[in-house]
Amino acid sequence: MTVPATTRQLRSLVTPEGQVRISLATVDTPQPRPHQVVVRVEAAPVNPSDLGLLLALADPGAAEVDDSPEGPVVTASVPEAAMPSMRARLDQSLPVGNEGAGTVVAAGDSPEAQDLLGKRVGFSGGGAYGEHALTTAQACLPLPDGATAADGAASFVNPLTALGMVETMRREGHTALVHTAAASNLGQMLARVCLADDIGLVNVVRRPEQADLLRDLGARHVVDSSAATFMTDLVEAIRATGATMAFDAVGGGRLASDILNAMEVAVTDPDAPYSRYGTDVPKQVYVYGSLDRRPIELRRGFGFSWGVGGWLLMPFLASLPVDDLVRLRSRIASELTTTFASSFTEEITLDQVLDLDVLRRAARTSTGEKFLIVP
Amino acid sequence: MTVPATTRQLRSLVTPEGQVRISLATVDTPQPRPHQVVVRVEAAPVNPSDLGLLLALADPGAAEVDDSPEGPVVTASVPEAAMPSMRARLDQSLPVGNEGAGTVVAAGDSPEAQDLLGKRVGFSGGGAYGEHALTTAQACLPLPDGATAADGAASFVNPLTALGMVETMRREGHTALVHTAAASNLGQMLARVCLADDIGLVNVVRRPEQADLLRDLGARHVVDSSAATFMTDLVEAIRATGATMAFDAVGGGRLASDILNAMEVAVTDPDAPYSRYGTDVPKQVYVYGSLDRRPIELRRGFGFSWGVGGWLLMPFLASLPVDDLVRLRSRIASELTTTFASSFTEEITLDQVLDLDVLRRAARTSTGEKFLIVP
């Protein structure tokens, strides 16, 4: 394997003055430690979680691009309200890209790392938006024969998140799920997992055409939050599935509250004696995204047996017994082009990320478009 | 033991038209089943949780009293916004009073019930606001020699809640607590428990004089939410104690959010690398009351490792292994007049509850006044 001495990486930096600066840096190609590998990146998806780090909540519509001796630099203003949360990253040139696929071109001395040398893998780890990425052997999934880099580029975050939601549901004693922003790439994957595993799933979407997309997939319970009948529809679907756990990508406004209230109505036995503490059926909403950045507003009509909390993939994986992780990863590998297929609408190069028109389109988190970076 | 054929009970009824009606009903004295006992009530405290059922959220300031053939009836309007939550209790004449103390005057056939006959007990179970109350043998705590009915009247709800908070903290791996509305009777009890057990406790109060009250008790960390320096004080106290779990009686507005944000600031290592997902330190707020009836507003600056949820005494007790329950109850019995002492500022009769002036004063949940009903 030939590994060049230097490599190019996409970087994002927030200045104390409130500007985000996005550029391509040329850096020394990293040297792997014993348990690490260097992947020559062939494909990396643009996930909403990547955009958060890349753009630092700035509006790409108002971004500008300047030339510098090191090449173009995209600059945009970080909203003032978001600056306190940027404190810990100020003035740091951060690599971007949570996952990708490519070929392992250098490996540390450990047997696990050496074993991957020359193989095409999907991988997770920061810095996937670059020509080469450093990650651990454990964070690599060798791709099945015939799988392309595009097939494997999104084999970590969304597949493990979808399976992680189902595992969390089982672990906490629930039997069916509600999912919001359900027409997303992740949402479609979760819908396929739930269909395959015969798990009740209430898909909450924001527009009628998203409902159609999910119904075409075979989803049985799709509820449109823009419909006048939303609350009734939601109660009905929750009653039909018995869903008492929700995963919410929206994370602002009243949606989490609406879901808890609908669950409470659905599980209340109209013939049971009155309790002003509500039912004793546990109802849980896990917030795993921030599509709506307003505060979460909880209108408590759902008794006292409820919880709302944050959910993140990495802490979940850290809590998972190794055997379970192996089981999930084997499943992803064997269903990579079916259950866990991602479809990308556009391939772009690293340089094109600094093209304002391309960046603006890639930054839209609306469903239906999904970009793949091909370094 | 002589048990009269009939007995008087305080009742609360909500009409479909939105009126709450409070009256004294004369009913047949209940007959105990094998595991039950009848207590001749000698004292019952007016807890905030009792007022919720008694008043149905109506404002006692606007209440009226009418005479009826069965005696006076207090009527008041239930706020329209609260009517949906009253649906399950409409037209039902409900007994009131969650706990009290008195003498067991009749017992079922079971040995546990028989064993209590003639003893003075503290007890829990609805209907404590009456001359006689029916409850289970298990829900009775025989009072130590020399303890008065007033000493034992509040030996269930607040003592077990205070101890339940500490048990929950330990069970979920936290080491110190934040408590809101900390100057309440319960809050003072929790402060004494935490002092005795050397547990860090951040007491959040709403007024300077409440802070003084707690400091006089020996509380080391008291934070006044009306102070301009509230957030800084809160972060400081959380940092000093390491509190990552809170019990919140307020349950509306931004207080839960403020606590989570303060915890996140307190646990963030300023030298750690930036993570836009926040720290991985679990932060939990349990909401156990509704002093503020506005929605809970969560302003997410606290990463993804957080939870907010409902907490109630009864489900907690149901989840507690029997040995642990015995341990908690033994402790309450032996520290009834010290750690778990309640002080009452006024004793009133059952008939006086229907006196508008007395009712209005008893219904104030501000600290410093605590009423005891002496049937």
Side-chain angles (χ1 to χ4, degrees):
Chain A
M1 297 284 149
T2 55
V3 184
T6 61
T7 188
R8 295 199 310 156
Q9 279 189 341
L10 200 68
R11 295 295 186 93
S12 174
L13 180 148
V14 173
T15 67
E17 293 74 33
Q19 272 219 327
V20 60
R21 300 170 59 83
I22 306 170
S23 61
L24 272 166
T26 299
V27 297
D28 290 346
T29 307
Q31 300 291 321
R33 292 202 232 170
H35 63 292
Q36 292 179 321
V37 298
V38 175
V39 181
R40 189 181 64 221
V41 183
E42 290 152 10
V46 180
N47 290 324
S49 54
D50 298 311
L51 291 167
L53 183 63
L54 181 69
L55 296 170
L57 307 185
D59 172 13
E64 293 175 12
V65 64
D66 294 304
D67 278 319
S68 85
E70 290 79 35
V73 179
V74 171
T75 58
S77 293
V78 177
E80 201 164 317
M83 281 303 289
S85 70
M86 302 292 160
R87 202 164 30 191
R89 64 170 286 190
L90 292 183
D91 277 334
Q92 297 175 50
S93 173
L94 298 173
V96 189
N98 286 320
E99 65 177 343
T103 303
V104 174
V105 292
D109 291 336
S110 72
E112 308 84 71
Q114 284 294 318
D115 196 41
L116 293 168
L117 205 57
K119 290 194 180 152
R120 177 170 276 166
V121 298
F123 70 93
S124 69
Y129 294 177
E131 292 166 346
H132 294 82
L134 181 72
T135 188
T136 63
Q138 221 210 333
C140 290
L141 180 73
L143 298 184
D145 287 344
T148 65
D151 290 336
S155 57
F156 264 85
V157 178
N158 281 351
L160 282 172
T161 301
L163 292 176
M165 290 171 175
V166 170
E167 292 289 313
T168 302
M169 174 197 86
R170 292 206 173 104
R171 191 194 281 186
E172 301 188 13
H174 302 262
T175 57
L177 290 174
V178 175
H179 188 224
T180 71
S184 66
N185 193 279
L186 169 63
Q188 295 175 42
M189 221 173 256
L190 182 64
R192 288 193 295 260
V193 169
C194 289
L195 280 170
D197 295 4
D198 203 20
I199 294 167
L201 176 68
V202 178
N203 297 275
V204 179
V205 299
R206 284 162 292 178
R207 290 196 299 272
E209 61 270 28
Q210 297 173 326
D212 296 340
L213 185 156
L214 282 163
R215 287 206 188 89
D216 288 348
L217 263 181
R220 279 185 284 264
H221 303 282
V222 187
V223 178
D224 177 0
S225 61
S226 71
T229 54
F230 172 55
M231 276 307 281
T232 336
D233 298 345
L234 185 59
V235 168
E236 203 60 38
I238 289 171
R239 200 173 271 144
T241 54
T244 46
M245 175 172 273
F247 283 88
D248 173 37
V250 176
R254 293 191 196 163
L255 188 54
S257 189
D258 286 345
I259 291 169
L260 288 171
N261 280 311
M263 285 174 175
E264 182 72 355
V265 172
V267 302
T268 298
D269 174 355
D271 298 327
Y274 170 70
S275 164
R276 88 208 142 74
Y277 298 117
T279 71
D280 58 2
V281 179
K283 297 164 290 291
Q284 176 71 34
V285 176
Y286 279 121
V287 176
Y288 73 93
S290 311
L291 294 178
D292 184 334
R293 306 201 70 88
R294 290 177 300 164
I296 298 173
E297 187 182 323
L298 301 176
R299 307 188 152 239
R300 293 166 64 197
F302 37 75
F304 276 83
S305 193
W306 63 279
V308 176
W311 191 93
L312 265 190
L313 179 59
M314 292 309 161
F316 166 75
L317 291 179
S319 77
L320 201 64
V322 166
D323 285 356
D324 287 340
L325 183 58
V326 169
R327 173 172 52 84
L328 302 191
R329 289 177 57 164
S330 311
R331 178 171 181 184
I332 293 167
S334 65
E335 301 174 28
L336 194 58
T337 56
T338 53
T339 314
F340 301 108
S342 290
S343 56
F344 298 99
T345 50
E346 192 163 337
E347 294 192 356
I348 59 174
T349 65
L350 272 180
D351 293 287
Q352 282 181 296
V353 178
L354 303 179
D355 177 320
L356 285 183
D357 173 58
V358 175
L359 179 62
R360 283 166 190 158
R361 285 188 292 115
R364 281 197 298 238
T365 48
S366 60
T367 313
E369 287 192 82
K370 181 95 182 163
F371 280 62
L372 187 69
I373 296 177
V374 181
Chain B
M1 296 282 151
T2 55
V3 183
T6 61
T7 187
R8 296 200 310 157
Q9 280 190 338
L10 200 67
R11 295 295 186 93
S12 173
L13 180 148
V14 173
T15 68
E17 293 74 33
Q19 272 218 327
V20 59
R21 301 170 58 83
I22 304 169
S23 61
L24 272 166
T26 299
V27 297
D28 289 345
T29 307
Q31 300 291 320
R33 293 203 233 171
H35 62 293
Q36 292 178 322
V37 298
V38 174
V39 181
R40 188 183 63 222
V41 183
E42 291 152 9
V46 179
N47 290 323
S49 54
D50 298 311
L51 290 167
L53 183 64
L54 181 70
L55 295 170
L57 306 184
D59 172 13
E64 292 176 12
V65 64
D66 293 304
D67 278 318
S68 85
E70 289 78 36
V73 179
V74 171
T75 59
S77 292
V78 177
E80 202 162 318
M83 281 304 289
S85 69
M86 302 292 159
R87 204 164 29 192
R89 63 169 287 190
L90 292 183
D91 277 336
Q92 297 174 51
S93 173
L94 299 172
V96 188
N98 287 319
E99 65 178 343
T103 302
V104 174
V105 292
D109 290 336
S110 73
E112 308 85 71
Q114 284 293 318
D115 196 41
L116 293 168
L117 205 56
K119 290 192 179 151
R120 177 170 275 169
V121 298
F123 70 94
S124 69
Y129 295 176
E131 293 167 345
H132 294 82
L134 182 71
T135 188
T136 63
Q138 221 210 332
C140 291
L141 179 73
L143 299 184
D145 286 345
T148 65
D151 290 335
S155 57
F156 265 85
V157 178
N158 281 351
L160 282 172
T161 300
L163 291 177
M165 289 172 175
V166 170
E167 293 289 312
T168 301
M169 174 196 85
R170 293 207 173 102
R171 190 195 282 186
E172 301 188 14
H174 301 262
T175 56
L177 290 173
V178 175
H179 188 224
T180 72
S184 66
N185 193 280
L186 169 62
Q188 296 175 43
M189 222 174 257
L190 181 64
R192 288 192 295 259
V193 169
C194 288
L195 280 170
D197 295 4
D198 202 21
I199 294 166
L201 176 68
V202 178
N203 298 275
V204 179
V205 299
R206 286 163 290 178
R207 289 196 301 271
E209 60 271 27
Q210 296 172 327
D212 296 341
L213 185 156
L214 282 163
R215 289 206 187 89
D216 289 347
L217 262 181
R220 278 184 285 263
H221 303 282
V222 187
V223 177
D224 177 1
S225 62
S226 71
T229 55
F230 172 55
M231 276 306 280
T232 336
D233 298 345
L234 185 58
V235 169
E236 202 61 37
I238 288 172
R239 199 173 271 143
T241 54
T244 47
M245 176 172 273
F247 282 89
D248 173 36
V250 175
R254 294 192 196 161
L255 188 54
S257 189
D258 286 346
I259 292 169
L260 288 172
N261 280 311
M263 285 176 177
E264 182 71 355
V265 171
V267 302
T268 298
D269 175 356
D271 298 326
Y274 170 69
S275 165
R276 87 209 143 71
Y277 298 117
T279 70
D280 58 1
V281 178
K283 297 165 289 293
Q284 175 70 36
V285 175
Y286 279 120
V287 176
Y288 73 94
S290 310
L291 294 178
D292 184 335
R293 305 201 71 89
R294 290 176 300 163
I296 298 173
E297 188 184 322
L298 301 176
R299 308 189 151 236
R300 293 166 65 197
F302 38 74
F304 276 83
S305 194
W306 62 278
V308 176
W311 191 92
L312 265 190
L313 179 60
M314 291 309 160
F316 165 75
L317 292 180
S319 77
L320 201 64
V322 166
D323 286 356
D324 288 341
L325 183 58
V326 169
R327 172 171 55 82
L328 302 191
R329 289 177 58 165
S330 310
R331 178 171 180 185
I332 294 168
S334 66
E335 302 175 26
L336 194 59
T337 56
T338 54
T339 314
F340 302 107
S342 290
S343 56
F344 298 99
T345 50
E346 191 162 337
E347 293 192 356
I348 60 174
T349 65
L350 271 180
D351 292 288
Q352 282 181 295
V353 178
L354 303 179
D355 176 321
L356 285 184
D357 172 59
V358 175
L359 179 62
R360 283 166 190 158
R361 284 188 292 116
R364 282 197 297 237
T365 48
S366 60
T367 314
E369 287 192 81
K370 182 94 184 162
F371 280 62
L372 186 70
I373 297 177
V374 181

